[in-house]
């Protein structure tokens, strides 16, 4: 890109996990989208423990759906305040049958699916060590392999 070519962003992807850090990432994504008259796609990625628990029947799927939907409604209010168009999706970041499926792949596949021009993702949640390790690895993976610019907050 040279100086005469302006930066254009049509879609910002914000992968989230429901943490406070995710909400902060959404605020950044919405601010970027507002600046470039773009839309935001929020991808809620279900963690390994949640997916395994739902598969085993030890985690209530209705409760997971309610929690994730509540978070996405909060995200919707953030986007509405700035007048930014928002779309959402929920995906599991892990698979019991596909060893190559992990949150980093899910984020990059979604970026391709929604034709994202920019990615904003949380880096270090403070909830617990296991979650921190997962999101740190996801951030590292996305930063390493994304074809789009990435902001890690």
């Amino acid at each position: 890109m040279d100086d005469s070519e302006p930066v254009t962003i049509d879609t910002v992807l914000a992968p989230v996990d429901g943490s406070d850090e995710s909400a902060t990432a959404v605020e950044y994504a919405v601010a970027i989208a507002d600046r470039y008259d773009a839309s935001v796609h929020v991808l809620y990625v279900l963690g390994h423990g949640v997916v395994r628990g739902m598969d085993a029947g030890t985690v209530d799927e209705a409760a997971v759906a309610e929690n994730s939907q509540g978070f996405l409604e909060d995200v919707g209010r953030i986007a509405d305040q700035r007048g930014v168009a928002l779309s959402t999706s929920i995906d599991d970041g892990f698979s019991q049958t596909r060893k190559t499926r992990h949150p980093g792949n899910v984020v990059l596949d979604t970026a391709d699916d929604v034709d994202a021009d920019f990615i904003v993702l949380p880096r270090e949640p403070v909830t617990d060590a296991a979650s921190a390790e997962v999101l740190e690895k996801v951030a590292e993976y996305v930063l390493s392999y994304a074809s789009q610019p990435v902001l890690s907050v």
Side-chain angles (χ1 to χ4, degrees):
M1 175 173 11
D2 62 31
D3 291 337
S4 64
E5 191 176 322
V7 173
T8 58
I9 298 173
D10 295 318
T11 305
V12 179
L13 174 63
V16 299
D17 65 355
S19 65
D20 290 342
E21 292 76 17
S22 291
T24 299
V26 168
E27 290 173 2
Y28 276 89
V30 167
I32 291 166
D34 185 38
R35 166 68 175 87
Y36 289 96
D37 196 27
S39 64
V40 173
H41 182 86
V42 173
L43 167 66
Y44 194 106
V45 181
L46 299 175
H48 184 65
V50 172
V51 173
R52 288 189 71 162
M54 287 191 309
D55 287 345
T58 58
V59 171
D60 181 23
E61 289 185 36
V64 171
E66 185 178 321
N67 288 340
S68 56
Q69 193 59 42
F71 184 84
L72 293 175
E73 287 171 5
D74 291 343
V75 164
R77 285 189 280 282
I78 293 169
D80 285 346
Q81 288 173 351
R82 301 286 286 267
V84 170
L86 177 75
S87 59
T88 62
S89 61
I90 300 174
D91 206 339
D92 55 342
F94 298 91
S95 172
Q96 299 287 72
T97 58
R98 288 182 45 209
K99 293 184 186 244
T100 59
R101 183 173 180 85
H102 57 82
N105 287 95
V106 171
V107 170
L108 295 180
D109 289 347
T110 302
D112 288 342
D113 291 345
V114 301
D115 200 23
D117 305 296
F118 200 92
I119 301 172
V120 179
L121 65 131
R123 183 177 26 166
E124 296 182 33
V126 293
T127 52
D128 61 63
S131 293
E133 183 177 307
V134 169
L135 269 185
E136 286 173 11
K137 288 180 181 180
V138 171
E140 182 179 319
Y141 185 87
V142 172
L143 286 164
S144 296
Y145 296 108
S147 57
Q148 305 84 348
V150 179
L151 174 62
S152 178
V153 296

